[in-house]
Amino acid sequence: MLLRPAREEEMQAGALGAPMRRVEDDRLLRGGGRFVSDLFPRDALHAVFVRAVAAPAELRHVDTQAAAAMPGVRLVLTGADTAALGRAAVNPLVDGLKAAAWPALAAGRIEAVGQPVALVVADTPAQAQDAAEAVVVETGAVDAADFDRAFAQEWVSGDVERAFADAAHVVRVELAYPRVAPMALEPRAALADWRDGAMALWLSTQTPHRARADIAAILGLGIDAIRVVAPDVGGAFGGKASIYPEEAALALASMRLGRPVAWTATRSEEFLSAAHGRALKISGALALAADGRFLGLRATVDAELGHWLTYSAVVPARNAARILPGPYRIGAVHLAARGSRSLRAPVGIYRGAGRPEAAMLMERLVDAAARRLGADPIALRRANIHPAASLPQPMPAGGQLDRSDFAALLEAARGSADYARLRALTHQRRAAGAVCGVGVALYVEPCGQGAESATLCHEGGGRFTLATGATAQGQGRETAYAQIAADVLGVSPDCIKVVHGDTAATPPGVGALASRSTAIGGSAVLEAARRLIGTLGAVPAKGWSAVPAGAVEVNYTAADEAWASGACIACVEIDRETGVPTVERLVWVDDAGTVVNPMLVEGQLRGGLAQGVGEALMERIVYDPQGQLLTGSLMDYSVPRAADIPPATIVSCPTPSAANRLGAKGVGEAGTIGVPAAIVNAALDALAPFGVEDIQMPLRAEVLWRAMLNGETDR
Ligand code: SMO
C-alpha cells in the first residue's frame, strides 16, 4: 500500500478514502488518554482479589476474620456472598450448548488456578493487598473434575465417502494451535459506583452495552439502573468482549458499601484469569484427484474452553468450522466442531477467533497436497479456487462467501513477491547449504454481520454530533466515522464530533469486535448521514449555516455478512546450527473492500500481522500437568518486540463487499489469519529436504533444530 502524507487539500475532495491522520493521536500521544484507572475518584476504595493457588480442589472454608480486622479494610466478600448473583450470558451459536456454572467468586469448589476466591476492599491498594494475604483458604483434595462436552455439532455437504473413495491421494494434517494471551497493553480495570439506586461502571471493555445487560442480570436490576462507560481502552483484541467474574464481584462490593470501588488487574492476573485465545486442536484430510482437483475435505475442530464460558466461548470453534473449506471449490465436506470445559483459565475470542486455526489447517493441507503432487503451491490453489464470477457462494457450515477475487489476490502476491525468482533463488541457496523455504497462504475471513446503531445530530451551524453503539480500543474509530459522515454531508471531518463507549450517551449497540465496526457501524453512520440530509432537506450551496438543527437515529442491519480475503507469501530461513528462524520477507495482498482511510487500514493490518508473527514464532501459554501457569509474566511469556517483526509488503486489492451499505470488509483481525499459515508453510518448505512433514507452533528455535536433527537421523 503506497501512502502519501496526509494533506488538507486531499480531504476537501471527499473524506471517504482519504489518508487522514487520526484525530485521537494528539491527545493520546501527549499523555491525555483517560483510561479506567485514570478515572478513579479520590474517595474510591480499592479491591484486591484472593485467587486460587491450586486446582481442582474442594473449597471447604474461606476464613476472612483476620483480614476483615486489618487496617483500612471495609469489606471482604466470598463465594457465599456472590452465590445469589445472576449469571452472564453466553452466545448460543451452536446446537445444544451446555452452560457452565458462573460463580463470581468460587463456591464449593475451585476449578482453575487463578480463579477469584475472595474480594478484599480497603481504603488503599496496599491495605487491600496486605489483607488479601491474611485470608485463609481451606481446601480439600478432589478427583480431577470430569468436564464433559459443552457442545458438539456437525455439518455435511456432498458425498464425502465417495470423494475419499475416489481420491488418488489423501493428505492429512493434525495441529494443536497453542493457547495464547491477547496481551492488551492496558490490563483489565473497573470502577463500580453504586449510588441512589443506580450502578455506574467504568470498564475497560469492547462491549459496554452488552456489559450493561449482563450486569443488570447479575445484580437482578432493571437495565435502566445501569450505566456502563468504556473510556479510552488500551487494546482488547477480543479479550475484553465478555463480562468477567471480577467485574461482577466489584459491582456487588460497591452496592454493599455505597462507595465507588476500583480495581486494576496486574499483568500476572491477566495471564492467570483473563480469557486466552486459540487452544484449538484441529485435524483434517483433503482428498485429491490425480489431476490435483480437490474432491473432499474432512475436518474436526476441538476447542478447549477453560473452566467458565465467556460470552463468545463458542465462537472460535464455530468460526473455524464456518470458514472451511476456505476459498476452495470442494464438493464434499464433513466438518465437526466440539468444545469441552477444562481446569484452566477461560479461552475466548482473540484477534482472528478460529479463523487463523482453520486457515492454518486448510493452507497446510494445500501445501502438503502440492508437495505430494509435485505441483506448484500457487498453481494448485489457482486450479481449485472459486472464480470471482461464481461468488457469492454458500458455505458448508452456513453463511455465504462474499464477493472476492481470489485469482487476483494470488496473482498480485505472485507479482509483488517476484515469485518465480524467489523460488529459483531458494533452490540456489539450498544448493549452497542454506535451510530456506517459501510458503503461501490464501484465506477468507467472515467479518461483519448483524446490526449497529448511530444517531447523528446537526447541532446547527454545520456542527454535528455522531453517537455510535460501536466502541474503540485504538482503531481510530472517531477518525473513520467522521470521514464517513463528512463525505455524505459535504463538510470537513473536524465538524463532526464522534461519541462512543458510554451507554448513557449512545444508542444501544454491539461494540467493537469481530472486525465489524467499519462494515456494520460504518454503514449505520453512512445511513444516518443520508437520512439526515433527507430529513433536513437539500443543503444550500452556501453551506449548513442556514440549515436548522435536527437529528436522526438509525439501527442498521447488514443484508449479509462481509467476507474479507487475502493472499500471503513468506520466506523463512532457518539457521542450520541453532534452528533460529528468520522471516526474511512477507508479501500480503489484502482485500478490505471499500477503504475509508488507507492509513488506518494499514495500521490495523500491520498490528494484526505483528500478533500473527508472534503466535507463529514465539507465543505460548504453558501450564504444567498440575494446572500451574508457567507463563504468568512477561519474563516467561514471549510477545514479539518491534525488532521481531519482519519487513512486510502490504498490497491493497479491494473488491467491495455486497453485504453492507458501505461495501467495507474487516481489517482488524486479518493479519493473524494468513500470515501465520504462510510462515509455517515456509518453514515446512525449508524443512522438506530433511524429510520433515509436520511441525507444531510456535516455531521456536528448539522445535526447528530438533526437527532438522530428527529428520536427518530418520533417514
Ligand atoms: S477477537 Mo475480536 O475482538 O472479535
Side-chain angles (χ1 to χ4, degrees):
M1 200 175 299
L2 288 175
L3 289 181
R4 293 154 298 163
R7 289 200 314 266
E8 265 308 307
E9 56 270 30
E10 281 179 292
M11 262 158 268
Q12 304 304 330
L16 197 75
M20 184 183 159
R21 288 191 202 287
R22 288 157 44 110
V23 297
E24 294 90 340
D25 284 348
D26 186 71
R27 183 175 62 83
L28 291 171
L29 292 173
R30 290 172 195 270
R34 303 270 286 161
F35 300 87
V36 170
S37 303
D38 297 319
L39 302 174
F40 294 168
R42 255 173 203 281
D43 66 338
L45 301 172
H46 295 270
V48 166
F49 288 92
V50 177
R51 295 182 181 276
V53 295
E58 179 199 353
L59 180 54
R60 290 199 175 135
H61 182 61
V62 182
D63 186 346
T64 61
Q65 233 175 350
M70 286 179 65
V73 174
R74 303 293 180 132
L75 180 70
V76 184
L77 291 179
T78 69
D81 300 291
T82 60
L85 294 179
R87 57 187 309 145
V90 179
N91 197 352
L93 286 170
V94 287
D95 295 343
L97 175 64
K98 271 202 278 178
W102 199 84
L105 298 170
R109 71 177 192 172
I110 287 169
E111 297 189 325
V113 166
Q115 182 177 5
V117 175
L119 169 64
V120 178
V121 181
D123 291 344
T124 70
Q127 288 171 330
Q129 184 66 56
D130 282 349
E133 283 161 23
V135 172
V136 181
V137 181
E138 290 171 30
T139 60
V142 289
D143 286 340
D146 49 337
F147 277 137
D148 47 355
R149 253 323 116 66
F151 64 86
Q153 192 170 348
E154 298 194 21
W155 299 266
V156 183
S157 60
D159 189 342
V160 182
E161 298 294 326
R162 177 74 190 270
F164 277 81
D166 288 351
H169 308 275
V170 175
V171 289
R172 293 188 166 78
V173 168
E174 252 179 66
L175 58 101
Y177 217 101
R179 184 188 263 257
V180 297
M183 253 305 293
L185 282 182
E186 184 207 13
R188 285 172 296 161
L191 170 67
D193 190 358
W194 172 262
R195 62 182 73 199
D196 305 327
M199 175 65 69
L201 263 173
W202 284 261
L203 295 178
S204 184
T205 179
Q206 297 169 248
T207 48
H209 287 278
R210 187 193 296 154
R212 185 187 188 208
D214 276 326
I215 287 291
I218 288 164
L219 298 180
L221 296 169
I223 198 162
D224 293 338
I226 317 285
R227 174 189 175 199
V228 175
V229 184
D232 284 324
V233 175
F237 313 116
K240 295 173 179 170
S242 181
I243 197 86
Y244 278 94
E246 288 92 337
E247 294 159 351
L250 205 75
L252 181 67
S254 177
M255 252 177 126
R256 289 271 179 96
L257 291 162
R259 295 272 305 270
V261 182
W263 170 66
T264 305
T266 63
R267 181 59 61 193
S268 289
E269 282 184 292
E270 291 301 83
F271 280 117
L272 270 171
S273 64
H276 296 141
R278 310 288 188 258
L280 288 191
K281 289 197 174 72
I282 180 163
S283 61
L286 178 63
L288 300 150
D291 64 0
R293 261 177 313 121
F294 298 169
L295 301 176
L297 174 74
R298 285 194 176 112
T300 302
V301 179
D302 262 299
E304 184 204 332
L305 304 174
H307 76 106
W308 64 274
L309 304 190
T310 64
Y311 179 79
S312 302
V314 173
V315 168
R318 178 81 184 88
N319 269 354
R322 74 203 194 92
I323 78 160
L324 290 170
Y328 306 107
R329 255 181 305 129
I330 305 184
V333 177
H334 184 165
L335 305 172
R338 305 188 287 247
S340 301
R341 293 206 298 134
S342 64
L343 299 164
R344 302 284 186 270
V347 179
I349 49 173
Y350 163 54
R351 202 170 196 169
R355 310 177 193 89
E357 298 92 317
M360 181 68 71
L361 177 78
M362 200 63 227
E363 293 308 291
R364 279 193 52 183
L365 282 169
V366 176
D367 263 29
R371 263 192 295 277
R372 178 76 62 88
L373 295 160
D376 174 75
I378 290 187
L380 185 63
R381 283 174 173 84
R382 278 222 56 166
N384 283 285
I385 49 180
H386 289 288
S390 73
L391 298 172
Q393 184 76 230
M395 294 292 274
Q400 63 169 16
L401 209 45
D402 201 353
R403 284 203 299 237
S404 291
D405 190 341
F406 303 130
L409 297 176
L410 281 172
E411 287 317 310
R414 185 206 296 274
S416 186
D418 202 351
Y419 182 73
R421 206 178 133 258
L422 205 58
R423 285 279 180 203
L425 205 62
T426 302
H427 281 298
Q428 279 173 28
R429 290 172 66 190
R430 275 184 188 161
V435 182
C436 57
V438 179
V440 179
L442 181 69
Y443 65 90
V444 295
E445 180 198 2
C447 48
Q449 62 182 334
E452 193 51 275
S453 59
T455 57
L456 181 60
C457 177
H458 178 227
E459 311 282 0
R463 311 293 308 178
F464 302 84
T465 302
L466 171 65
T468 168
T471 60
Q473 307 97 41
Q475 299 93 338
R477 190 87 63 231
E478 293 166 36
T479 308
Y481 280 8
Q483 285 183 258
I484 295 167
D487 192 74
V488 177
L489 299 169
V491 298
S492 163
D494 58 19
C495 298
I496 297 162
K497 181 177 181 230
V498 177
V499 177
H500 61 86
D502 182 348
T503 61
T506 60
V510 176
L513 70 166
S515 296
R516 71 195 308 281
S517 300
T518 301
I520 310 302
S523 288
V525 172
L526 182 69
E527 182 71 19
R530 286 182 182 162
R531 263 198 235 167
L532 187 68
I533 298 246
T535 305
L536 298 179
V539 180
K542 59 181 183 297
W544 282 85
S545 50
V547 180
V552 293
E553 176 162 350
V554 164
N555 197 294
Y556 169 81
T557 302
D560 216 315
E561 185 171 22
W563 289 61
S565 55
C568 304
I569 295 176
C571 301
V572 170
E573 184 182 32
I574 300 168
D575 186 291
R576 189 182 278 273
E577 305 303 325
T578 64
V580 171
T582 305
V583 180
E584 298 175 313
R585 183 119 195 259
L586 266 179
V587 169
W588 174 14
V589 181
D590 176 71
D591 171 7
T594 302
V595 170
V596 174
N597 180 332
M599 211 147 53
L600 292 182
V601 167
E602 183 171 1
Q604 285 292 304
L605 296 178
R606 287 196 186 274
L609 182 150
Q611 284 179 301
V613 167
E615 68 191 59
L617 298 183
M618 54 186 76
E619 293 189 48
R620 186 169 62 130
I621 290 280
V622 184
Y623 287 96
D624 78 3
Q626 282 74 44
Q628 290 293 338
L629 179 66
L630 301 183
T631 48
S633 81
L634 285 170
M635 295 295 285
D636 314 296
Y637 183 87
S638 180
V639 286
R641 273 77 166 166
D644 296 314
I645 307 307
T649 306
I650 298 180
V651 180
S652 174
C653 184
T655 302
S657 172
N660 60 71
R661 187 118 331 154
L662 195 57
K665 300 173 177 177
V667 292
E669 300 176 86
T672 63
I673 301 171
V675 166
I679 290 174
V680 171
N681 273 345
L684 281 165
D685 186 49
L687 295 171
F690 295 80
V692 175
E693 291 183 347
D694 183 32
I695 198 159
Q696 295 294 332
M697 296 163 66
L699 306 184
R700 295 172 299 128
E702 182 193 345
V703 169
L704 298 168
W705 182 79
R706 283 187 193 283
M708 286 189 286
L709 199 68
N710 294 340
E712 272 178 344
T713 1
D714 286 352
R715 287 190 304 167

